């Protein structure tokens, strides 16, 4: 009986093996490049994840806009944001042009994405915080020139930041707005430093800007401050400044980014098409 059962199992596995297709080849599947650079400003190595459009060619004269993604590690937001960019740039979708995505992998986001807070609880809970000025300098003086020198980039630059990354994106928008043309600010941590960033003067935008602010069901402070930022900026809106706001009632702090970015691309790049 046991011998018959073993023979039956052997025959079954043999038949199963005969039905499987023969593997002809196997290669790794990648969606971009990972580049390490040495930052003199930050005094450390930084890792960049770069998505290049399907038709990108170093030999072509065509140039591409660039999206800079905070929280851009492989295990953070890089893969799914690059996926939205790829999907949106398909010719049959045509939501945005073919675009390079530069994901900036984190070393210490609490350090890099925050300016110094006068709130003692902030200082206690975020002991390494307060170095955003150095990170902004890194973006301006090292990262953007490096990307421009190594890839075929156009002048248009977009910044995406969520949570503390949204706080940093807001700081850049208010203090150095010309670093980027488009800002996608999702669930910004504007509670930082007793909400003082909301009191900063709204700058005059010398060039065209598209600004998309969004948040989900994230509690009174997060919801109120995101809406307050929109209201503050809305007063600055003119013919060359487009400002959008969306409250994602069915999303929370953990899952608002993906759909917010999709909607941001629809609004920002759709608005650009309509003005051309």
């Amino acid at each position: 009986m046991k011998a018959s059962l073993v023979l039956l199992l052997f025959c079954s596995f043999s038949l199963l093996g005969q039905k499987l297709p023969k593997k002809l080849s196997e290669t790794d599947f990648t969606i971009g490049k990972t580049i390490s650079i040495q930052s003199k400003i930050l005094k450390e190595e930084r890792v960049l994840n770069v998505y290049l459009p399907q038709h990108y060619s170093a030999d072509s004269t065509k140039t591409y806009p660039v999206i800079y993604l905070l929280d851009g590690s492989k295990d953070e937001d890089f893969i799914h944001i690059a996926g939205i960019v790829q999907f949106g740039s398909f010719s049959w979708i045509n939501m945005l042009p073919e675009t390079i995505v530069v994901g900036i992998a984190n070393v210490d986001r609490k350090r890099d994405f925050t300016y110094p807070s006068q709130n003692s609880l902030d200082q206690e809970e975020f002991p390494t915080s307060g170095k955003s000025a150095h990170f902004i300098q890194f973006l301006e003086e090292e990262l953007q020139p490096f990307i421009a020198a190594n890839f075929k980039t156009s002048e248009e630059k977009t910044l995406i930041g969520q949570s503390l990354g949204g706080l940093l994106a807001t700081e850049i928008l208010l203090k150095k707005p010309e670093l980027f043309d488009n800002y996608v600010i999702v669930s910004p941590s504007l509670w930082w430093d007793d909400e003082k960033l909301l009191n900063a003067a709204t700058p005059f935008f010398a060039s065209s800007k598209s600004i998309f602010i969004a948040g989900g069901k994230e509690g009174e402070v997060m919801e109120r401050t995101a809406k307050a930022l929109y209201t503050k900026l809305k007063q600055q809106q003119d013919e060359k400044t487009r400002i959008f706001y969306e409250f994602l009632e069915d999303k929370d702090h953990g899952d608002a980014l993906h759909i917010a970015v999709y909607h941001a691309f629809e609004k920002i790049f759709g608005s650009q098409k309509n003005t051309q």
Side-chain angles (χ1 to χ4, degrees):
M1 183 67 180
K2 289 183 178 180
S4 299
L5 180 59
V6 171
L7 180 62
L8 178 61
L9 290 173
F10 175 79
C11 291
S12 297
F13 284 125
S14 297
L15 290 173
L16 180 62
Q18 292 174 8
K19 292 180 180 179
L20 292 176
K22 179 182 178 181
K23 182 192 292 186
L24 299 179
S25 65
E26 179 178 325
T27 59
D28 291 333
F29 176 78
T30 62
I31 66 168
K33 303 174 181 291
T34 296
I35 302 171
S36 293
I37 61 174
Q38 184 66 36
S39 169
K40 293 182 180 178
I41 293 171
L42 300 176
K43 297 180 175 59
E44 64 189 7
E45 177 184 342
R46 297 303 299 241
V47 173
L48 311 174
N49 295 306
V50 181
Y51 163 80
L52 297 176
Q54 179 181 355
H55 300 108
Y56 181 91
S57 171
D59 298 326
S60 171
T61 59
K62 182 177 180 179
T63 59
Y64 299 84
V66 182
I67 291 172
Y68 290 86
L69 174 66
L70 304 173
D71 295 317
S73 300
K74 292 178 181 178
D75 59 353
E76 293 176 315
D77 299 324
F78 175 73
I79 293 174
H80 72 99
I81 297 301
I84 298 174
V85 172
Q86 182 205 40
F87 175 78
S89 63
F90 284 148
S91 60
W92 58 92
I93 303 298
N94 196 28
M95 182 168 65
L96 76 165
E98 287 193 314
T99 301
I100 298 169
V101 180
V102 177
I104 309 164
N106 281 318
V107 172
D108 182 349
R109 67 194 301 273
K110 295 176 182 178
R111 175 198 70 186
D112 292 336
F113 296 172
T114 59
Y115 63 89
S117 174
Q118 302 305 309
N119 182 290
S120 58
L121 186 59
D122 290 347
Q123 296 170 5
E124 179 182 343
E125 294 187 346
F126 296 77
T128 64
S129 65
K131 302 298 190 297
S132 63
H134 291 157
F135 191 77
I136 295 170
Q137 184 184 5
F138 159 73
L139 294 178
E140 179 179 17
E141 298 180 14
E142 292 185 326
L143 182 56
Q144 288 187 352
F146 176 85
I147 295 300
N150 285 274
F151 298 97
K152 303 190 72 64
T153 65
S154 68
E155 293 297 317
E156 185 171 15
K157 298 182 286 290
T158 299
L159 180 65
I160 299 176
Q162 186 259 353
S163 192
L164 285 178
L167 175 72
L168 179 70
T170 303
E171 183 183 1
I172 295 172
L173 175 63
L174 295 178
K175 296 180 180 179
K176 303 210 75 169
E178 301 313 309
L179 280 186
F180 299 94
D181 304 287
N182 309 311
Y183 289 80
V184 180
I185 301 172
V186 182
S187 305
S189 299
L190 295 169
W191 49 264
W192 179 257
D193 190 29
D194 298 315
E195 306 176 18
K196 288 189 179 68
L197 192 58
L198 287 171
N199 297 327
T202 304
F204 170 76
F205 300 136
S207 61
S208 296
K209 291 276 177 289
S210 290
I211 304 162
F212 183 92
I213 302 165
K217 203 84 169 172
E218 304 176 64
E220 187 274 331
V221 173
M222 293 288 291
E223 295 169 26
R224 173 177 53 77
T225 53
K227 187 65 179 291
L229 175 62
Y230 166 73
T231 301
K232 173 187 179 69
L233 295 171
K234 188 70 174 175
Q235 298 171 355
Q236 181 77 1
Q237 183 163 341
D238 55 27
E239 68 278 357
K240 67 178 183 299
T241 306
R242 294 175 294 273
I243 304 173
F244 310 95
Y245 171 79
E246 184 172 11
F247 175 58
L248 302 166
E249 189 171 7
D250 62 337
K251 302 299 177 186
D252 58 29
H253 195 72
D255 63 359
L257 180 66
H258 190 91
I259 192 66
V261 168
Y262 190 97
H263 290 173
F265 289 167
E266 288 182 316
K267 293 289 188 182
I268 290 173
F269 296 103
S271 295
Q272 291 178 355
K273 289 179 186 177
N274 294 337
T275 58
Q276 291 175 353

